[in-house]
Amino acid sequence: SAGGTDAGQSDSPTDSSNLSMAFSGSELANPWVSTVKDGFEAACKDNNIRCTTLNAGSDVDKQVTDVQNAINGGQNAIIMNPVDGTALESVLTAGKEKGVASITVAQTADASTGSIYLDDAAYGEMIAENAVQWIKEELGGKGTVAILGEENIESSIARGDGIEETIKRELPDVKIVARQHANTPDLGLSVTQNLLLQYPDLNVIVAANDSGGIGAYQAFENSGLATDPQRGIFSGDKTDEAIKYMSIPDSIYRGTVDLQPYNAGYAAVEMALQQLKDGLPAEQERQQLEMTPFTQEEALATK
Amino acid sequence: MNRDRLVHYVFEYGIVVVLAVLVLVFSLSSPSFFTASTLTTILSQVSVIGIIAIGMACVMLLGSIDLSVGATAGLVSVTAALLMSMGFPVWSAVILTLIVGIVIGLFNALSLTLFRIPSLIGTLAVMTALRGLAYLLSNGIPIYDIDAGFKQLAQGSFLSIPIPGLLFLGIFVVVAIVLNRAKIGRQIYGVGGNEEASRLSGVPVTRIKYFVFALSGLLAAVGGLLLLARTNSGQPSAGSGYELDVITAVVLGGVAITGGKGRLWLVLVGVLIMGTLSTGMVMNNVNDYVQQVVKGLILVAAVAFSQIAARSQGGRTITR
Amino acid sequence: MNRDRLVHYVFEYGIVVVLAVLVLVFSLSSPSFFTASTLTTILSQVSVIGIIAIGMACVMLLGSIDLSVGATAGLVSVTAALLMSMGFPVWSAVILTLIVGIVIGLFNALSLTLFRIPSLIGTLAVMTALRGLAYLLSNGIPIYDIDAGFKQLAQGSFLSIPIPGLLFLGIFVVVAIVLNRAKIGRQIYGVGGNEEASRLSGVPVTRIKYFVFALSGLLAAVGGLLLLARTNSGQPSAGSGYELDVITAVVLGGVAITGGKGRLWLVLVGVLIMGTLSTGMVMNNVNDYVQQVVKGLILVAAVAFSQIAARSQGGRTITR
Amino acid sequence: MVILQVENLSKKYGNFLALENASFEVKEGSVHALCGENGAGKSTLIKMLSGAIVPTSGRFVIDGVESTGMTPREAMNHGIRAIYQEFSLVPFLTVAENIFYGREPTRAGFCDFGKMKDDARALCREMGVEIDPGARVETLGVAQQQIVEILKAVSSKARLLIMDEPTASLTVGETQVFYDIVRRLQAAGTAIIYISHRLEEVFSLCDEVSVLCDGRMTATRPVEDVTRRELISLMVGRDLVESYPESSTAPGAEVLRVSNLENDRLHDVSFALHAGEILGFGGLIGAGRTELAMALMGELKIDGGTVLLRGADYRPRSSRYALTRGIGLIPEDRKHQGVVMSLSVKRNVSLGILDKLSNAAGILSRAREDEYYDKYATELAIKTATPNNLVSTLSGGNQQKVVVAKVLARDCEVIIFDEPTRGIDVGAKHEIYGLMRELADQGKAIILISSDMPELLGMSDRIAVMSAGYLVADLGRGEADQATILELASTKLAMEEGMQ
Ligand SMILES: Nc1ncnc2c1ncn2[C@@H]1O[C@H](COP(=O)(O)OP(=O)(O)OP(=O)(O)O)[C@@H](O)[C@H]1O
Ligand SMILES: Nc1ncnc2c1ncn2[C@@H]1O[C@H](COP(=O)(O)OP(=O)(O)OP(=O)(O)O)[C@@H](O)[C@H]1O
Ligand SMILES: [Mg+2]
Ligand SMILES: [Mg+2]
């Protein structure tokens, strides 16, 4: 169905300096995505590739439009962090016909030529593991927990589910008092404040991302509980800001998970470059996103 | 005198000049811009916003506003996907969800006419509620298992014009005719211009409000179905923030926010300006952050141009 | 006669009844709700929205609207954080960003008065541009190396009332006095009620518009600084969507969208209703999706109640 | 001494010359009348003096200061104050605040509300009017608003006071009070420019008169040198026989019977209306005549009593309902209830008859629209450059004709005219009188609500007098005169005062 001109299509490029690539982020307000972008831009710079960044702002249709425009505009490869992979199917298929490489990072899309994927359930499990370990050691496996999820993105919901299931499985004596949507510092702060009013002895906040966790930390700090040995905050994404709070001695910010966004963005460009050199693969090329727990001890040690 | 007339038209339709300039600039800066495939792509990309904007234009001609359109589109997208995944045939899912859109519109009209809630706040509240409902229904997760044939709605084309674009143009033509040629169109302008005088002239004001809000709801539902077909999955967040884009397009098209004044075909131009800007900037490798800044500035410039033009024609109006 | 007066007040201030009912319901359903700490928390949580709402109320009294407030808050939050992380002393960062807010307001007034762009579209465009600017400045990443003392602005308290709450109430009192007692306050109502008459009465209409938009920009900047202090990091996305929350609060407080009518203290009540709803529902662990639906419905109900109440008082007004 | 000297003042709207080279002088302590048909340019002229609009060319000298155009503020500083044809009050503010709007007395930087109220009260007393200075203007009726407008203009010492149809919405009582105000100001040396379509005012109040015709000033004369007839022919450009058309047929069958009508503002109202007659309604402001009209149109609810239309029970629910059953209204407030300013002249006329203009599918026929428009525009002599001009560009009188055309086009059997000639020039007035009589002669039943006493007496076959919501008398043509009506109009008020 994608007729018309083939403007911008270059035949099997060998010199990468006349290549151009676009990055379409699901939400550039999210520091993790933003760091993927940084990796993408660095890789492009190192390889003399012209690059563009687009922000879907969590809007699926905007991302479809962006990617469509980028393909029509003659980009050679698109690196994406999809809001929703299924939505991209037809544009990416059309892109493939034009010889455009498409690599997804974190979320997947069946029609992309490459994928650096994240298993969100496992990710949630790893975030929760940090908390489980600490609760077992310091609270004797008991306590009250609240989960701050990112409930408006499918993959993040799976992450939240991973957190919830792990805690329920590993710590039957722990009471999960709430699961609320809070994926920004602002929301994390007010939701945690409100939860503290209702449950003053709330021990642990497990947040699906650092942004929510950082807000929760502010809430505890406002209540003078930022160094309470009975409390803990756990999250994922290993942003610099989270590390800053973790490196405060006696801080209740106790754990996060490193998803290596910069490396992912860099690797995606390299994968695309390879594909453009070798020709697009028939099968999607897959590579798992690295994921390592990061605890307070490590934060204090590297300080 | 002929020169005067020309000047008059150039100024009255300043917004058309803005569109022409944009097309020119992008065509020069990017060779692949002024091609059939780019232009039809723009048309199909703006179709959702455009269809919803047609309904919004009617609502704004009445002097009201409908902030619930984006959320309606989202709810319809989720509901239709849900119905199809439950095995309902495509046609029944479509009809049911179009009815959902109409019912939402009727509710908006009800809250305006019976409870006398200003539409700005009434539809804002409905927007909040519907968005919550869309998440509740889908449990926050996109729904994929939709009928394979359905996406033809977005991906098919006829005479090499994509179907969403055709649908948009078709709806535009019908509504434009109704607004200009039909009784109810005249009544919409009348009510928007002076509700009290219209009522005293025997215009069924309340009925017209129901009609217009139902139309807006219906067109938002059509937009939602197109979104579903485009993205191939029912997204609870679909259409978020569309209300602002749609209002931008409508006001760009010169519809007075106070009602009673404006031309539908200029709204079409407004919609195209928005689409051209997005596509043109992406094709020219403009960074997204910069895109937003440029978009904002161009919108200000475009409206300023057509306002100054209108003023030079002597019409002194109070702007707020 | 005395009973009549009572009934009159109950109805005129229907929105106060709504707040009372909400507080009652939440107090019954959650024992920790009606406590000093919950109430002061609500006060400090609504302070950002509340402060911005005060500016918006003035703009809406003029019959205009300011959609740029959320983006202004975001830009200010990022800029202040950036300045502080670059080593500027707190006071200079605060003053500079307050000036940024004022300049944005003046620009909005300029586009309204000089270019005659309706504020709905002008401030919408500015919102888009400012949001892009915030992302550009911060490169999309929160800036958190800010002065440690600064966060006292959000976290300190005086007489056990949190400072943001005090700031909110203080600004409220000052602006309320200005609106009700000062010449410019009465003239704001005047311009909103009848702009042409105001001009002919020798009221400096344009100057008043600049003043009000500058105030709105300034208060949005104050809101942005509070956001920064609250979360202790400059978020480019800070304040997204606040414009809608703020408008909801203002309209809930009974300010007519057409300008010229409304009382500031009822806006305070509107703000408190929004805060009470959020906190009360989280305390009852209501699912976020359900929260949205409930919020939407309560807003409709609240406005319907006060509208019906107003109507039973005889005032027949056209609602749009 | 000459206070104001106008030289060759012109105003152009686009290509349209609203006023061309107007020149005249106004002397201290004199009242200078401006006369002319609707759209002659009277309002345009005075708006340039008060700074509301900027002249295209020409100049004027006020108190020795030469100007080619001022801002409203500058005009005020030179002692020019104006009462405009359109209301220029702020609804949410109080009477006192409106009177001192823009120059509020302040104390320590804040408005001095106490002083404002006291001053306003003193002003009311001085001028002999009764209005609560603390009441919000939106709660006042049209006449009281007009009085506030007058108070606002006279509250500061004006050198030149401009009044554009100040009595258009006043009834007899207020008008007398107003005349006293004018005479007092004149005695104090204020120069006054006075615009009115009520020629008797020109002769009783004014010293000099200037006549405008199609944007050109055709004459300036001392009032004692000109007769009423001359003045009219100067304005209209031809001789006009000033007499009320006589009824040529006897009243026919009963069309409308109202019995014991009750609602918030109406009490036990009963009357009958016959085909071919004009039933006048007299009364003071607030007597409830407009409420009665609105109740008959279905715009106000009826709590008790019955209405029979051609013998059948009639329970109106809306104007639409009333119009489809043959009852039409020309409302009193043409700006808010009559015309749609943002639509063209033609479309305003069409708005009421869209059913007739469209086919079964609801599509309009432009040909039929033109046909109807041409018929009524010619019949009423609506003066507009083209039928597609916005109605807002028409003069007040021509706007009123548009409203009349809209109702006429509906072929109603009962037509209610609520203050139909308010702000309408003498020529057009007589056209409308002729039209009303013609309609009656064709067998239509007409209700005329009017506060213009000569008009009421001249046009009505019978006169019903209302007072405080009661219909207190139904007078035959011979029985009615001004004194009787005024006395009857205040009966209920006197009774109520007696009761308290
Ligand atoms: N803003 C405008 N644009 C175009 N034409 C206008 C405008 N204002 C007035 N006119 C025209 O100027 C002419 C003079 O109008 P003006 O209001 O001065 O009449 P007038 O003598 O006051 O009539 P009336 O007795 O009905 O009040 C009219 O023909 C009117 O249509
Ligand atoms: N006592 C009152 N309380 C409230 N409003 C009043 C009162 N008296 C008069 N009004 C208002 O004043 C206006 C004029 O009253 P109304 O229309 O009944 O008078 P009318 O007899 O039609 O007089 P006219 O037609 O001469 O203006 C109305 O809008 C009415 O609401
Ligand atoms: Mg006039
Ligand atoms: Mg009346």
Side-chain angles (χ1 to χ4, degrees):
Chain A
S1 65
T5 65
D6 285 353
Q9 188 183 357
S10 43
D11 22 336
S12 116
T14 41
D15 177 15
S16 59
S17 69
N18 56 26
L19 285 182
S20 63
M21 293 191 188
F23 175 73
S24 166
S26 60
E27 178 55 86
L28 286 180
N30 179 330
W32 191 85
V33 180
S34 194
T35 313
V36 174
K37 183 208 71 181
D38 289 346
F40 159 81
E41 282 171 350
C44 286
K45 199 168 163 224
D46 294 349
N47 292 293
N48 276 324
I49 300 169
R50 281 187 300 132
C51 64
T52 315
T53 302
L54 303 163
N55 182 11
S58 303
D59 180 347
V60 195
D61 192 49
K62 167 110 176 11
Q63 189 163 41
V64 174
T65 304
D66 281 349
V67 172
Q68 201 170 24
N69 287 338
I71 290 171
N72 285 344
Q75 303 285 348
N76 303 91
I78 317 284
I79 315 295
M80 278 145 303
N81 164 240
V83 181
D84 175 39
T86 27
L88 293 166
E89 194 181 303
S90 54
V91 257
L92 292 187
T93 312
K96 240 189 288 187
E97 284 166 18
K98 286 187 174 187
V100 177
S102 50
I103 317 290
T104 60
V105 177
Q107 284 77 27
T108 58
D110 290 346
S112 71
T113 60
S115 168
I116 299 180
Y117 69 95
L118 164 68
D119 180 347
D120 260 291
Y123 185 34
E125 215 163 296
M126 193 174 277
I127 293 171
E129 277 302 337
N130 277 335
V132 166
Q133 213 170 343
W134 182 78
I135 294 173
K136 278 189 178 152
E137 283 169 15
E138 303 294 325
L139 302 179
K142 292 198 181 63
T144 49
V145 174
I147 299 170
L148 302 185
E150 189 173 25
E151 310 285 346
N152 55 2
I153 296 180
E154 181 198 11
S155 53
S156 311
I157 292 175
R159 195 185 309 169
D161 292 345
I163 294 172
E164 192 171 343
E165 279 154 22
T166 308
I167 293 177
K168 279 189 179 149
R169 191 178 58 234
E170 307 265 330
L171 300 167
D173 291 338
V174 152
K175 219 170 101 198
I176 300 181
V177 293
R179 178 170 168 184
Q180 288 277 336
H181 171 72
N183 61 344
T184 64
D186 198 15
L187 276 174
L189 169 57
S190 46
V191 168
T192 308
Q193 270 182 337
N194 292 335
L195 289 173
L196 276 174
L197 293 168
Q198 182 77 343
Y199 312 102
D201 51 0
L202 181 66
N203 299 99
V204 172
I205 295 274
V206 187
N209 66 5
D210 282 353
S211 295
I214 285 160
Y217 180 83
Q218 303 298 332
F220 279 103
E221 193 182 31
N222 291 357
S223 309
L225 300 170
T227 55
D228 186 338
Q230 295 288 305
R231 321 261 178 174
I233 295 171
F234 301 87
S235 59
D237 285 354
K238 198 192 170 209
T239 57
D240 292 350
E241 194 177 7
I243 295 173
K244 185 185 111 181
Y245 292 122
M246 289 170 73
S247 3
I248 298 169
D250 300 328
S251 159
I252 59 167
Y253 212 126
R254 301 183 192 278
T256 183
V257 174
D258 191 354
L259 265 189
Q260 320 258 0
Y262 186 89
N263 292 351
Y266 205 98
V269 174
E270 287 180 327
M271 189 189 270
L273 213 51
Q274 198 58 48
Q275 289 188 354
L276 290 173
K277 268 195 198 116
D278 302 348
L280 300 182
E283 285 278 297
Q284 188 180 71
E285 191 178 343
R286 291 172 70 81
Q287 184 178 320
Q288 187 166 0
L289 205 57
E290 297 165 56
M291 191 191 301
T292 40
F294 185 81
T295 60
Q296 194 162 23
E297 287 92 78
E298 293 170 75
L300 290 167
T302 51
K303 195 181 159 189
Chain B
M1 286 299 115
N2 251 352
R3 213 188 112 261
D4 274 11
R5 267 188 94 76
L6 184 71
V7 172
H8 171 85
Y9 279 108
V10 169
F11 277 117
E12 173 145 11
Y13 303 115
I15 206 74
V16 183
V17 178
V18 172
L19 178 61
V21 169
L22 281 180
V23 170
L24 193 72
V25 168
F26 287 133
S27 301
L28 292 178
S29 68
S30 158
S32 49
F33 182 84
F34 201 74
T35 58
S37 76
T38 302
L39 298 182
T40 55
T41 305
I42 292 181
L43 186 64
S44 89
Q45 281 173 3
V46 298
S47 58
V48 175
I49 290 287
I51 289 173
I52 303 179
I54 292 172
M56 180 73 87
C58 295
V59 172
M60 288 175 70
L61 278 176
L62 269 190
S64 299
I65 204 159
D66 185 356
L67 295 179
S68 71
V69 286
T72 301
L75 181 66
V76 160
S77 151
V78 165
T79 312
L82 209 60
L83 288 174
M84 290 184 206
S85 74
M86 282 159 54
F88 279 72
V90 171
W91 63 266
S92 68
V94 167
I95 290 182
L96 280 173
T97 49
L98 291 180
I99 292 177
V100 167
I102 293 177
V103 168
I104 293 169
L106 293 176
F107 179 83
N108 284 331
L110 181 84
S111 85
L112 172 67
T113 56
L114 191 65
F115 301 132
R116 309 194 75 71
I117 303 175
S119 57
L120 180 70
I121 183 77
T123 59
L124 185 65
V126 168
M127 162 181 131
T128 312
L130 293 183
R131 188 60 73 192
L133 208 58
Y135 276 101
L136 262 181
L137 277 181
S138 64
N139 206 10
I141 299 172
I143 299 160
Y144 301 111
D145 296 320
I146 68 171
D147 194 286
F150 182 67
K151 70 176 174 191
Q152 276 314 307
L153 180 59
Q155 287 154 12
S157 65
F158 178 74
L159 299 175
S160 83
I161 301 174
I163 291 182
L166 281 179
L167 204 57
F168 170 34
L169 294 180
I171 293 174
F172 165 76
V173 168
V174 171
V175 176
I177 290 177
V178 168
L179 277 180
N180 290 314
R181 299 260 158 198
K183 185 167 96 180
I184 193 158
R186 288 293 187 78
Q187 293 176 327
I188 290 171
Y189 278 98
V191 172
N194 189 339
E195 180 169 333
E196 177 86 359
S198 300
R199 205 186 46 249
L200 291 175
S201 305
V203 174
V205 173
T206 306
R207 210 181 307 160
I208 284 169
K209 288 186 177 168
Y210 276 95
F211 174 84
V212 170
F213 273 94
L215 179 70
S216 173
L218 173 68
L219 293 184
V222 173
L225 287 173
L226 274 185
L227 273 179
L228 176 59
R230 267 173 76 79
T231 60
N232 209 6
S233 62
Q235 302 280 342
S237 67
S240 299
Y242 275 30
E243 51 283 350
L244 292 185
D245 284 352
V246 165
I247 292 172
T248 307
V250 173
V251 183
L252 209 50
V255 173
I257 335 165
T258 44
K261 251 179 178 171
R263 290 199 178 78
L264 195 65
W265 79 267
L266 290 179
V267 171
L268 177 69
V269 177
V271 169
L272 290 177
I273 286 183
M274 308 257 302
T276 306
L277 264 179
S278 293
T279 302
M281 287 201 288
V282 172
M283 291 181 81
N284 281 285
N285 270 350
V286 180
N287 175 305
D288 182 73
Y289 307 151
V290 182
Q291 270 189 39
Q292 286 194 50
V293 178
V294 173
K295 217 165 174 174
L297 296 180
I298 291 198
L299 291 184
V300 172
V303 182
F305 176 70
S306 58
Q307 284 296 92
I308 290 172
R311 198 160 32 140
S312 77
Q313 290 298 303
R316 197 167 68 89
T317 49
I318 289 175
T319 310
R320 286 182 150 183
Chain C
M1 285 299 114
N2 253 351
R3 214 190 110 259
D4 274 12
R5 267 187 95 77
L6 184 71
V7 172
H8 172 84
Y9 278 110
V10 169
F11 277 116
E12 173 144 14
Y13 303 118
I15 204 75
V16 183
V17 178
V18 173
L19 178 60
V21 169
L22 280 181
V23 170
L24 193 74
V25 167
F26 285 132
S27 300
L28 292 178
S29 70
S30 158
S32 49
F33 184 85
F34 200 74
T35 58
S37 72
T38 302
L39 299 183
T40 54
T41 305
I42 292 181
L43 186 64
S44 89
Q45 280 179 6
V46 299
S47 57
V48 175
I49 290 287
I51 288 173
I52 303 178
I54 291 173
M56 181 72 87
C58 295
V59 172
M60 286 175 69
L61 278 177
L62 271 189
S64 298
I65 203 157
D66 184 355
L67 293 179
S68 73
V69 287
T72 302
L75 180 67
V76 161
S77 154
V78 165
T79 313
L82 209 60
L83 290 173
M84 290 183 204
S85 74
M86 281 158 56
F88 278 74
V90 171
W91 64 266
S92 68
V94 167
I95 291 181
L96 280 173
T97 50
L98 291 181
I99 292 176
V100 167
I102 293 177
V103 169
I104 293 169
L106 292 176
F107 179 82
N108 284 331
L110 181 84
S111 84
L112 172 67
T113 57
L114 191 65
F115 302 131
R116 310 196 74 71
I117 301 175
S119 57
L120 181 69
I121 184 78
T123 60
L124 187 65
V126 169
M127 162 180 131
T128 311
L130 294 183
R131 189 62 72 189
L133 209 58
Y135 279 103
L136 263 182
L137 278 180
S138 65
N139 200 15
I141 297 173
I143 299 159
Y144 50 86
D145 287 321
I146 69 172
D147 193 288
F150 181 67
K151 69 177 172 188
Q152 277 312 306
L153 179 60
Q155 287 157 11
S157 65
F158 178 72
L159 298 175
S160 82
I161 301 175
I163 290 180
L166 281 179
L167 203 58
F168 171 33
L169 293 180
I171 292 174
F172 165 75
V173 169
V174 171
V175 176
I177 289 178
V178 168
L179 276 181
N180 289 314
R181 302 261 142 206
K183 202 161 158 165
I184 190 160
R186 304 319 288 172
Q187 294 180 340
I188 289 171
Y189 279 98
V191 173
N194 192 340
E195 180 167 336
E196 181 68 7
S198 301
R199 191 175 70 86
L200 296 178
S201 303
V203 170
V205 172
T206 306
R207 209 182 308 156
I208 285 173
K209 289 186 177 172
Y210 276 96
F211 174 83
V212 169
F213 274 95
L215 179 70
S216 175
L218 173 68
L219 293 183
V222 173
L225 287 172
L226 274 185
L227 270 179
L228 176 60
R230 268 170 72 80
T231 59
N232 211 8
S233 63
Q235 303 278 341
S237 67
S240 300
Y242 274 31
E243 51 285 349
L244 292 185
D245 283 354
V246 165
I247 292 172
T248 307
V250 173
V251 183
L252 211 48
V255 173
I257 335 164
T258 43
K261 242 180 181 175
R263 292 200 173 78
L264 195 64
W265 77 267
L266 289 179
V267 171
L268 178 69
V269 176
V271 169
L272 290 177
I273 286 183
M274 308 259 302
T276 305
L277 264 179
S278 292
T279 301
M281 288 201 287
V282 172
M283 287 179 78
N284 284 287
N285 199 22
V286 179
N287 174 305
D288 184 68
Y289 309 151
V290 181
Q291 274 187 39
Q292 286 193 51
V293 177
V294 172
K295 223 166 174 171
L297 294 181
I298 290 197
L299 291 183
V300 172
V303 182
F305 177 71
S306 59
Q307 284 296 92
I308 289 173
R311 201 166 25 141
S312 78
Q313 291 295 303
R316 198 166 70 91
T317 50
I318 289 174
T319 313
R320 286 176 152 188
Chain D
M1 195 190 93
V2 173
I3 284 190
L4 173 77
Q5 194 174 353
V6 175
E7 286 169 18
N8 295 325
L9 219 49
S10 299
K11 179 70 188 178
K12 243 180 153 177
Y13 287 113
N15 287 328
F16 176 75
L17 254 179
L19 190 72
E20 198 178 352
N21 294 333
S23 305
F24 68 110
E25 288 178 355
V26 182
K27 298 187 195 69
E28 193 173 45
S30 86
V31 183
H32 192 107
L34 276 184
C35 287
E37 293 187 273
N38 293 127
K42 304 179 294 295
S43 300
T44 304
L45 170 56
I46 61 100
K47 279 185 186 164
M48 288 189 278
L49 301 179
S50 68
I53 56 180
V54 183
T56 309
S57 66
R59 52 172 218 140
F60 60 92
V61 183
I62 172 82
D63 242 357
V65 182
E66 193 181 313
S67 170
T68 54
M70 294 180 165
T71 66
R73 178 107 264 169
E74 285 165 358
M76 269 176 218
N77 291 341
H78 285 103
I80 305 177
R81 306 281 296 180
I83 300 169
Y84 297 98
Q85 204 169 358
E86 269 79 48
F87 287 129
S88 50
L89 298 177
V90 180
F92 195 70
L93 299 186
T94 64
V95 169
E97 283 174 315
N98 264 289
I99 290 176
F100 296 102
Y101 187 48
R103 46 194 181 89
E104 296 85 350
T106 53
R107 203 171 52 192
F110 291 103
C111 290
D112 190 342
F113 290 103
K115 181 170 162 41
M116 234 190 263
K117 251 189 198 163
D118 290 345
D119 289 356
R121 199 167 289 125
L123 189 67
C124 287
R125 206 173 315 117
E126 187 188 333
M127 298 298 164
V129 293
E130 250 176 72
I131 282 185
D132 173 14
R136 261 195 252 131
V137 157
E138 61 182 349
T139 66
L140 302 181
V142 184
Q144 284 179 313
Q145 290 192 16
Q146 181 66 51
I147 290 172
V148 174
E149 195 101 44
I150 294 164
L151 291 178
K152 179 177 168 184
V154 304
S155 62
S156 70
K157 205 85 209 99
R159 299 282 287 137
L160 175 68
L161 184 59
I162 299 168
M163 301 196 261
D164 197 351
E165 298 187 37
T167 54
S169 46
L170 298 185
T171 43
V172 184
E174 290 97 353
T175 307
Q176 290 306 331
V177 173
F178 169 74
Y179 290 164
D180 291 343
I181 295 176
V182 172
R183 296 208 178 89
R184 202 169 313 157
L185 291 168
Q186 185 186 10
T190 312
I192 294 173
I193 295 180
Y194 196 96
I195 300 178
S196 177
H197 289 295
R198 297 184 173 177
L199 296 187
E200 60 277 10
E201 288 180 346
V202 173
F203 289 97
S204 63
L205 275 182
C206 304
D207 305 310
E208 270 188 314
V209 54
S210 290
V211 179
L212 282 170
C213 188
D214 283 335
R216 270 186 304 274
M217 195 160 270
T218 49
T220 298
R221 307 258 181 88
V223 167
E224 59 263 27
D225 292 359
V226 40
T227 65
R228 188 181 170 99
R229 205 173 162 146
E230 273 177 285
L231 185 57
I232 291 174
S233 82
L234 276 172
M235 283 163 56
V236 187
R238 67 192 147 88
D239 261 341
L240 185 89
V241 192
E242 248 200 317
S243 67
Y244 293 101
E246 287 294 330
S247 162
S248 64
T249 53
E254 181 178 292
V255 178
L256 190 73
R257 169 165 290 276
V258 174
S259 321
N260 316 103
L261 205 65
E262 287 282 343
N263 73 13
D264 294 348
R265 301 282 313 280
L266 298 174
H267 312 289
D268 195 22
V269 173
S270 306
F271 67 92
L273 179 67
H274 301 86
E277 78 173 341
I278 297 178
L279 173 60
F281 272 81
L284 300 178
I285 219 84
R289 295 168 298 171
T290 298
E291 268 85 356
L292 176 62
M294 285 299 187
L296 289 177
M297 291 303 291
E299 293 294 323
L300 286 179
K301 73 174 182 350
I302 296 173
D303 296 332
T306 55
V307 182
L308 295 180
L309 181 64
R310 276 175 258 105
D313 199 24
Y314 169 75
R315 289 167 202 271
R317 294 188 303 256
S318 64
S319 291
R320 185 173 178 74
Y321 181 97
L323 283 161
T324 49
R325 272 154 195 80
I327 301 190
L329 167 77
I330 285 128
E332 64 177 336
D333 182 347
R334 85 177 144 258
K335 189 168 153 199
H336 295 111
Q337 304 176 313
V339 289
V340 181
M341 291 294 183
S342 55
L343 293 186
S344 70
V345 177
K346 196 202 291 176
R347 289 192 173 202
N348 263 282
V349 175
S350 307
L351 191 62
I353 45 165
L354 290 170
D355 294 323
K356 287 189 188 178
L357 301 182
S358 53
N359 61 17
I363 301 295
L364 294 166
S365 150
R366 296 233 166 144
R368 220 176 313 160
E369 180 174 25
D370 289 339
E371 204 177 289
Y372 268 97
Y373 175 79
D374 290 342
K375 174 160 182 251
Y376 291 100
T378 323
E379 198 167 323
L380 295 172
I382 296 174
K383 208 182 287 173
T384 173
T386 78
N388 297 324
N389 275 24
L390 290 187
V391 88
S392 58
T393 62
L394 293 197
S395 69
N398 277 303
Q399 287 177 9
Q400 182 72 327
K401 289 185 193 169
V402 169
V403 182
V404 176
K406 197 167 61 174
V407 175
L408 285 189
R410 285 215 58 140
D411 282 333
C412 290
E413 254 183 280
V414 176
I415 305 178
I416 308 171
F417 287 83
D418 194 355
E419 309 286 0
T421 60
R422 176 175 291 171
I424 288 199
D425 72 50
V426 60
K429 241 184 215 172
H430 281 83
E431 283 166 35
I432 288 176
Y433 295 152
L435 209 101
M436 281 169 71
R437 183 47 76 190
E438 199 180 303
L439 290 169
D441 288 346
Q442 284 167 17
K444 309 224 183 261
I446 289 180
I447 289 178
L448 166 64
I449 299 174
S450 174
S451 302
D452 184 333
M453 206 50 91
E455 164 179 306
L456 190 67
L457 289 165
M459 286 303 300
S460 312
D461 296 323
R462 281 187 302 135
I463 294 179
V465 183
M466 290 194 67
S467 180
Y470 293 89
L471 200 157
V472 293
D474 194 338
L475 309 170
R477 186 153 232 182
E479 305 166 78
D481 63 50
Q482 182 154 343
T484 320
I485 292 174
L486 279 179
E487 199 191 312
L488 284 166
S490 43
T491 45
K492 285 290 167 185
L493 301 177
M495 267 173 58
E496 274 176 12
E497 271 164 23
M499 281 179 346
Q500 275 169 7

